[in-house]
Amino acid sequence: MARADGHLTAVVDSADKGQDECGVFGVWAPGEEVAKLSYFGLYALQHRGTQSAGIAASTGEQILVFRDMGLVSQVFDENDLETLPGHMAIGHTRYSTTGAHAWENAQPTLGPTGYGSVALCHNGNLTNFDELQSLADERLDKHREVVAAHKQKPRRTRAHRDSSSDTSLITELLASSDADNLTDAALGLLPQIKGAFSLVFMDENTLYAARDRHGVRPLALGKIDRGWVVASETAALDIVGASFVREIQPGELIAIDEDGLRSHRFAQEQAARCVFEYVYLARPDSVINGKTVHSSRVEMGRRLAREHPVDADLVIATPDSGTPAAVGYAEESGIPFGQGLMKNAYVGRTFIQPSQTIRQLGIRLKLNPVKENIEGKRLVVVDDSIVRGNTQRALIRMLREAGAKEIHVRISAPPVKWPCFFGIDFATRAELIANGLDTQEICRSLGADSLGYISLDGMIEATTQNSSELCTACFSGDYRIPIPPQADLTDAELSGTSGTKDS
Ligand code: SF4
């Protein structure tokens, strides 16, 4: 196991978008280099979490875990991957809220069971953390009584819950079950977990994947010659050469080992897939519930052009996530699409502490204007969402300094006004620019000449999904998934009202 105490430093305001969450990956493939397959799978999921990464591999006899803070490429080198032999592996990339950057919260987690061990990776956010924690405490107390009565060495202590995260708690609950095997332990526990979870976990011999009854976060199943792969997004199947088989269904647990693939249903499906995956979170080349994310975003741009037309000379995108919608806007409006901003990829994630001079550069560290495309032009600037507005305000100022004549901002999602309790970290509700300001006021606050958001119906229709099967709560306030019992929607923090959001 690796451990480091380096501090991640975000040198630009990366929290000005809804922050996803985590990426999970699993592979069962005897004869393959499973740690390397996991490494490349995690590389494709890097956008889902850049603060820590980890892989656990099983030889059939034992599970080894390697995890650390940083990007996948910073955490692992060839030698590290060589230390993870086996026929099966799971992996994780993590995003966490400020203050929860600790190594202890990096995944996969590992816990001892009565029949071996369990390693687990999680994407989502539980909404009944306190209830589950009480259950874990009850089990621990019972375990202590039993070992004391029999004068045995305890198999479990509170130290096994080595962090306050959702993931660690699920691992402990699986490990502390009285069931004889992990399948039964999971089938007993999963119906009791509320909120959003896409899980990939394993014991020494069997790989498991499970998705909450709402299917909030994506989870896909793929096939390679010698086995099976599961991943948060289909793009991670593509990168390891796996062919897409199907999604893990909401409320489904699958188990994969030498006896093949078995499917178990632990809850009735009540679909409420996160619409924000289509808007911003997922990779454009991924497919969710039969729809390519890229084509949804292009269609959002087309609809945005119809809903909010404007006379302009050039459509530009806030790279990269605004690009497909900008292309759609340009196609529909007939206004040419051009490159107005160059992105300095991954500059925002570094172990190097920036100097005060560098820090003051702010958005210029991340985006640089292409002056000759901007000077004297009336611009349509297309972005996927506005959360706090700080990035857009700085961007508009930069574009004006570069000589833009007019700036018309178009957003391919409706205003974000409500908390997400299901794994997306926006900021605090009070920080949301759309919480209290109307569109005109936001436009003035940003310093734009005009501002237009796509309608809720327009965004939903662009995904071609059944609206009754989507979660749109952060835009609409319509919570189809039960929220934590103690949540206060009037001034709630936008995540983590129940335990430590860790994925
Ligand atoms: S509240 Fe918003 S970000 Fe959260 S799951 Fe629902 S649609 Fe997705």
Side-chain angles (χ1 to χ4, degrees), residues 261-331:
L261 185 148
R262 299 175 296 286
S263 168
H264 306 267
R265 182 153 288 284
F266 65 85
Q268 278 306 310
E269 177 172 339
Q270 297 169 342
R273 295 178 179 83
C274 171
V275 76
F276 211 60
E277 294 279 351
Y278 292 97
V279 171
Y280 167 71
L281 301 174
R283 276 173 60 137
D285 52 341
S286 284
V287 180
I288 304 176
N289 204 33
K291 180 71 175 177
T292 312
V293 171
H294 179 264
S295 63
S296 295
R297 290 181 187 166
V298 172
E299 181 59 23
M300 284 171 200
R302 288 198 190 104
R303 287 169 184 266
L304 190 54
R306 294 203 288 276
E307 291 183 14
H308 297 285
V310 64
D311 272 341
D313 306 310
L314 189 71
V315 178
I316 68 168
T318 306
D320 294 317
S321 52
T323 303
V327 168
Y329 194 102
E331 280 174 11

Side-chain angles (χ1 to χ4, degrees), residues 16 20 66 79 81 464:
D16 210 19
D20 193 15
F66 192 109
N79 291 334
L81 295 172
T464 67

